[in-house]
Each structure stands twice: as C-alpha cells, then as structure tokens.
Amino acid sequence: MIEQIQALQQEAEDALAGAKAIQDVEALRVRFLGKKGALTGLLRGLGSLSVEERPQVGQAANEVKQAIEARIADAFDRLKKQAQQEQRSKRSVDVSLPGSPPLVGSLHPLTLVRQEILDIFGRMGFRVEVGPEVETEFFNFEALGIPKDHPARDMQDTFYVGEQMVLRTHTSPVQIRAVLERRKPPVRIVAPGAVYRRDSDVSHSPMFHQVEGLMIEEGVHFGHLKGILDTFAREMFGEKNTTRFRPSYFPFTEPSAEVDVSCFLCDAKGCRVCKDTGWIEILGCGMVDPVVFEEVANYDERTEYDPTSVTGFAFGMGIERIAMLKYRIPDIRLFFDNDINFLKQFGS
Ligand code: 2U9
C-alpha cells in the first residue's frame, strides 16, 4: 500500500508539471486530494490493515498529502505569475511603433478672411477697434442720423433686447464710440465683429460679421476713398482686378456708393456668380454725412469735429459675403454648422 501511495505522488507531480492553466491545477487538486479523490480513496482502505501496519501507512499517506499540497500551491503560484506577466506584456507600449499624429485644428474661414481684410487695411494705417454687441438705440441708430420712425430703420430689421437696447445691426456704433473717445481728427479705424439682423436664407444669417472702416482727416475727399478701396480690392482679389463705384444710398453717408470688383472668377468674361455682368458687389461706402458730426458734437461738447468743415469717409462689408465669393461657398449656414469636413478645407 505504501508503494501505491508513493506512486500516486509521482503521478500527481507529473500531472502538475504539465498543467498549463489555473483551471488544470484545480482539476488535479480535486482528482488527487478531493473528497472523492485518489488519495482519499486509498486512505479509506486503512481500516482493513493490521494494527502494526496502520501507523506506517498513515504516516506515508500524510507525507504524500503534504507533498502534493505543496506542489499544487507551487503550480498555482507559477501559473498566476505567468498570467500576470502575459497581461503586463499585452498592456505595455511598443515604443518602436510610429506615433499617431494628434488632430490639428485649422482657422475658421471667417477668421482667415477677417484677418486678411484687417491686414490689408492695417498696412494703410487703419487700427482695429472693437465694442459691445448689445448696444443702445442711440449709438446704433440716432448717432448715425437714423431717428425713430425713419424709414431707414426698416433696412436693418432689428432684435430688441430691452428698453432702448438692441443687438447691434452694424459695427458703426463702435466707430461712434471711438470718434467720441478720440475727440478730434485724425481717425483711421476698422471695426470688425458680429452683427445681428432679423433675416435668414442662403445668403443671410441672423448673426453675421462685418468689417467697417472710418477715416476722418483734414481735406479727405471721395478721391481718397476710391484710392483706399481700390487698393483693398486689388490686394484682396488680385492686382489686375478693377473696381467701379455705383451711386447708392445710406442714411449715414452722403454721397454714398456701392463698390463692385471685376469678376475674379471668370476674369470679367461673364459667369453665374457675376450674373454675366463681369462685376461683383463687395461693399458699400460714402462720405460721412455731416449730420453724424452734428450728433457727435451734441452728445459731447468737448469733441472737435466741426460739422461745417470736417470731412471723412466710411465703408462697410460683410465678411461672410467676401468669404463666400473667395471660397465659392454656396450657403451662408455652412459657416455656422461646425461640420469638421467643411471646416478642415481651409487654411493650414
Ligand atoms: C460712422 C459713419 C458712417 C459705415 C458704412 C456701409 C456704407 C455699408 C454694408 C455693407 C454690407 C453693411 O455688411 S453690410 O450689410 N455697409 O454699405 N457702411 S458706409 O458708415 C459709417 C460708419 C460709422 C461714424
């Protein structure tokens, strides 16, 4: 019987040495040491032995039991360490692999176009001014010669946000504030920013962006205005593009004009965008109406813009309109949808 018990130890050691998984070791523990296991079966036969044989066989059985238990513990240990090692090597970083490039954003097309416009005017001495988007009716309308009930208020359908407060319909109030702050000529500024009008279709958005400009200097006349805006058009759209000035009306400028640039898409030969005219309208402008200087003088008597002698010119353009023409964008809403596939086409 002792030989049988020792043979069992050998069998258990061989089986444990070949175990590849923790479940295999558990199965072997049940097979050799479990309630219905091989060693337990042998020990049950102790009763049939003589009184002399029993202690020797019992001792041998105990030693074998302890030896198998120790081997099982070793096997559990070995396989647990092996599993941890595998897990660790799965998680570890392979430093020889090429890195995944980070997502790099690009500037919004409106930002690019605004910057280009401001750069061009900056080179001609115009400094940037910004101001509030929520404005008083006075700065948005009255100071610009647009009194209440004046039909010109209908030209810019307005969002009212409180008692005599509006979302600015243009950036002109920024310029009024700058004129008041400086108190006297010279003034040479550009005012970029968001403006709001109750209007929405493929080419109008209730929020859009403008750049307006203002130059007030001794002796400034319409010829200077033409020179500045012609230079702007050439730098923005191409050296060979010419401009034409058509008479127009704005309540805050007199005389007023709309400015067309020769079609840079078809070299003025005629296309769908220029509607076969060879010209594309890009901005509005004019000589500042003396009524604006009167309003400024009435508002603050310390200012020195004499309405009878001071002259200046102003202009305004929609950034979306310029960007749509430049990049041939068919719908203004694309600027505000924030579709990454649209946005990533512009700039670097
Ligand atoms: C002051 C005096 C006069 C600003 C001007 C325009 C002409 C103009 C439009 C172009 C397309 C707005 O974006 S648009 O809808 N603007 O045509 N704006 S003159 O005149 C001023 C501004 C400030 C003190």
Side-chain angles (χ1 to χ4, degrees):
M1 190 151 182
I2 287 180
E3 277 149 26
Q4 259 181 304
I5 291 170
Q6 281 163 348
L8 204 62
Q9 180 179 349
Q10 193 56 51
E11 193 186 334
E13 280 175 7
D14 291 347
L16 283 165
K20 296 234 168 7
I22 287 175
Q23 301 90 287
D24 298 343
V25 180
E26 176 58 16
L28 291 172
R29 188 190 65 75
V30 173
R31 180 173 139 198
F32 289 102
L33 303 180
K35 269 189 199 150
K36 295 179 187 162
L39 188 65
T40 321
L42 279 179
L43 290 175
R44 243 181 241 126
L46 275 181
S48 60
L49 294 178
S50 66
V51 180
E52 296 80 43
E53 278 176 319
R54 230 180 268 166
Q56 285 173 8
V57 176
Q59 192 187 344
N62 262 336
E63 281 167 10
V64 166
K65 190 179 176 208
Q66 279 166 15
I68 295 176
E69 276 171 350
R71 290 286 178 282
I72 285 175
D74 288 349
F76 268 131
D77 220 35
R78 171 175 58 85
L79 291 169
K80 218 184 268 170
K81 278 195 186 125
Q82 196 175 306
Q84 279 169 349
Q85 190 66 38
E86 274 166 21
Q87 198 63 33
R88 232 178 275 134
S89 67
K90 256 191 237 156
R91 250 189 280 133
S92 70
V93 178
D94 181 350
V95 290
S96 68
L97 284 175
S100 39
L103 271 182
V104 178
S106 57
L107 292 177
H108 193 283
L110 293 178
T111 307
L112 291 168
V113 170
R114 181 191 61 206
Q115 204 48 53
E116 202 176 342
I117 296 170
L118 296 181
D119 284 347
I120 295 170
F121 284 109
R123 289 195 288 275
M124 295 191 275
F126 288 78
R127 295 291 161 254
V128 174
E129 284 286 333
V130 290
E133 294 180 18
V134 176
E135 261 297 359
T136 62
E137 274 191 284
F138 176 80
F139 281 125
N140 194 76
F141 291 123
E142 272 110 60
L144 286 147
I146 317 173
K148 275 206 173 64
D149 307 323
H150 189 283
R153 287 220 181 179
D154 299 342
M155 285 170 70
Q156 304 177 1
D157 230 340
T158 312
F159 289 107
Y160 283 82
V161 291
E163 193 61 27
Q164 295 179 13
M165 297 299 288
V166 298
L167 296 184
R168 68 183 181 195
T169 58
H170 46 192
T171 57
S172 311
V174 176
Q175 317 206 70
I176 292 287
R177 287 172 184 279
V179 161
L180 285 164
E181 220 166 76
R182 283 176 176 69
R183 292 201 192 168
K184 60 180 183 199
V187 174
R188 212 187 276 206
I189 52 175
V190 269
V195 300
Y196 302 84
R197 294 182 191 177
R198 294 175 48 154
D199 214 348
S200 184
D201 58 40
V202 288
S203 52
H204 295 90
S205 160
M207 189 275 302
F208 68 103
H209 300 82
Q210 283 188 339
V211 172
E212 282 196 6
L214 179 68
M215 178 163 164
I216 306 169
E217 248 168 76
E218 210 187 315
V220 155
H221 54 69
F222 207 92
H224 297 117
L225 168 61
K226 286 188 81 173
I228 295 273
L229 293 183
D230 192 71
T231 304
F232 165 72
R234 285 177 199 281
E235 296 221 358
M236 190 77 202
F237 300 106
E239 190 47 42
K240 61 183 186 331
N241 285 293
T242 51
T243 49
R244 79 175 179 185
F245 288 65
R246 284 179 289 105
S248 186
Y249 169 77
F250 300 110
F252 28 75
T253 48
E254 182 59 37
S256 304
E258 275 166 321
V259 181
D260 299 337
V261 62
S262 54
C263 186
F264 46 88
L265 298 169
C266 66
D267 281 335
K269 289 189 183 73
C271 68
R272 235 161 46 113
V273 176
C274 68
K275 299 192 187 80
D276 289 325
T277 64
W279 296 98
I280 302 177
E281 185 188 319
I282 52 164
L283 53 84
C285 64
M287 299 306 292
V288 177
D289 194 311
V291 79
V292 176
F293 295 124
E294 269 168 37
E295 289 288 350
V296 167
N298 289 341
Y299 187 85
D300 186 341
E301 61 195 18
R302 293 168 301 173
T303 55
E304 295 172 39
Y305 303 94
D306 179 357
T308 62
S309 61
V310 73
T311 58
F313 65 76
F315 54 86
M317 67 190 87
I319 303 180
E320 281 79 357
R321 177 165 173 76
I322 306 283
M324 286 169 85
L325 291 167
K326 188 176 158 88
Y327 295 121
R328 309 208 58 176
I329 294 166
D331 189 328
I332 198 168
R333 288 165 289 209
L334 287 163
F335 291 121
F336 309 115
D337 286 346
N338 265 345
D339 178 343
I340 192 83
N341 289 319
F342 169 75
L343 295 175
K344 73 182 179 192
Q345 300 175 88
F346 306 95
S348 51

